[in-house]
């Protein structure tokens, strides 16, 4: 089962991942599990998108 790039939930998840990764790469404060004030909402959005996507994938596997 592969995700489609036309899937809005998957697209949000991948965009949030990219944004979070780029921020972490360029922010010395967001290293080793630490989060800066500006990065907190970025990382929170990624975690929420990941949780939603993985929950849906898990639900699909159960059916």
């Amino acid at each position: 089962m592969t995700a489609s790039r036309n899937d809005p939930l998957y697209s949000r998840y991948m965009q949030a991942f990219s944004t979070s990764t780029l921020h972490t790469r360029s922010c010395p404060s967001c290293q080793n599990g630490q989060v800066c004030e500006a990065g907190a909402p970025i990382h929170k959005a990624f975690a929420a998108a990941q949780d939603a996507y993985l929950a849906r994938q898990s639900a699909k596997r159960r059916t």
Side-chain angles (χ1 to χ4, degrees):
M1 174 182 334
T2 57
S4 168
R5 290 192 172 140
N6 295 326
D7 176 356
L9 182 57
Y10 179 76
S11 295
R12 281 195 308 275
Y13 171 37
M14 289 296 101
Q15 181 60 48
F17 170 75
S18 179
T19 301
S20 178
T21 301
L22 290 172
H23 177 81
T24 300
R25 242 187 248 157
S26 65
C27 179
S29 297
C30 286
Q31 305 297 316
N32 300 319
Q34 300 298 313
V35 178
C36 75
E37 189 175 327
I42 294 169
H43 302 308
K44 185 176 180 179
F46 165 61
Q50 182 179 45
D51 289 347
Y53 179 75
L54 294 177
R56 188 182 69 188
Q57 292 303 102
S58 179
K60 281 183 178 180
R61 278 189 233 106
R62 286 188 295 240
T63 60

